[in-house]
Amino acid sequence: MFANRTDAGDRLAAELADRGIDADVVLGIPRGALPVARPVADALEADLDVVVARKLGAPSNPELAIGAVASDGSVWLNDDLVDRLGVSESYLEDVRRRESENAREKADRYRSGDAVPDLAGKRVVVVDDGVATGATAIACLRQVREAGAERVVLAVPVGAPDTVAALESEADAVIALLAPETFRAVGQFYREFGQVADEEAVAYLEGRGE
């Protein structure tokens, strides 16, 4: 159980340091990952930035993720679910285009117009506050790969065991402090797990978060 996201970040940073993980860049998945990613970036003496993906919702149930798309258009689809629901190619293309644009706009807001970091040849640690289905994490990891990162590590405080195992094929290493069989939701493992406001997330990016 973590007290809050900052506590989770401190503990994750200690684990990464113990494992000898080095990074040139730490990328948090907004908004909830920024309080976790800040202590990680500080401990690894790495730059902190964001990598953004948006869930692709099912036609009849937008809350049901049939995949995710990153701000560069990198996409992951749950093919089994897409087939089972009979989702059309036209729907997939429309939702992919729309959510990719939303992700780009969100990334631009967080960077305040600054350039996208050059990840070519870099050691990158991607941080989230936890993974349930892993849809957005997969899309983010694929974006980092496409950007030419030399080594990609996914680091999370907690995740569903099956998801953590599946993510190992998307990164060079996946580090999860907890992967309990009792997993139901990420928030289950935090005493405080409120929404992170955009202003608060940006403060963490600028090194002002507490």
Side-chain angles (χ1 to χ4, degrees):
M1 178 70 72
F2 306 104
N4 51 36
R5 289 180 175 91
T6 298
D7 173 47
D10 287 338
R11 291 160 68 175
L12 191 58
E15 179 68 17
L16 292 170
D18 286 347
R19 295 195 186 198
I21 300 295
D22 293 318
D24 301 301
V25 182
V26 172
L27 299 177
I29 302 175
R31 293 170 300 203
L34 271 303
V36 183
R38 180 78 263 173
V40 171
D42 290 346
L44 300 183
E45 299 182 346
D47 294 333
L48 177 62
D49 208 291
V50 294
V51 58
V52 182
R54 297 271 298 185
K55 177 176 65 178
L56 303 180
S60 57
N61 182 2
E63 293 304 311
L64 177 61
I66 58 173
V69 62
S71 57
D72 72 336
S74 299
V75 67
W76 171 78
L77 294 176
N78 184 330
D79 292 325
D80 289 342
L81 187 55
V82 167
D83 290 343
R84 190 159 71 246
L85 296 176
V87 182
S88 69
E89 288 293 332
S90 61
Y91 175 85
L92 288 173
E93 179 57 26
D94 287 346
V95 72
R96 185 204 63 77
R97 186 185 303 111
R98 182 175 67 250
E99 294 301 346
S100 178
E101 179 60 29
N102 287 338
R104 278 194 297 273
E105 291 175 357
K106 186 174 183 179
D108 288 344
R109 286 200 306 273
Y110 278 92
R111 293 194 179 101
S112 301
D114 290 343
V116 177
D118 181 9
L119 302 181
K122 299 291 180 64
R123 299 162 300 174
V124 180
V125 174
V126 177
V127 176
D128 205 351
D129 55 9
V131 289
T133 67
T136 55
I138 291 173
C140 287
L141 290 168
R142 291 185 179 183
Q143 177 175 355
V144 174
R145 286 282 195 209
E146 287 294 320
E150 176 185 295
R151 178 171 170 81
V152 184
V153 175
L154 175 67
V156 296
V158 63
D162 290 349
T163 299
V164 170
L167 286 165
E168 290 176 352
S169 65
E170 300 287 341
D172 294 300
V174 176
I175 297 171
L177 299 182
L178 301 173
E181 293 297 334
T182 57
F183 183 96
R184 297 189 305 276
V186 172
Q188 171 190 357
F189 300 93
Y190 288 83
R191 284 198 291 274
E192 294 179 14
F193 196 66
Q195 290 285 336
V196 177
D198 281 330
E199 296 80 3
E200 181 184 356
V202 170
Y204 283 105
L205 272 176
E206 296 174 348
R208 297 182 286 108
E210 297 180 358

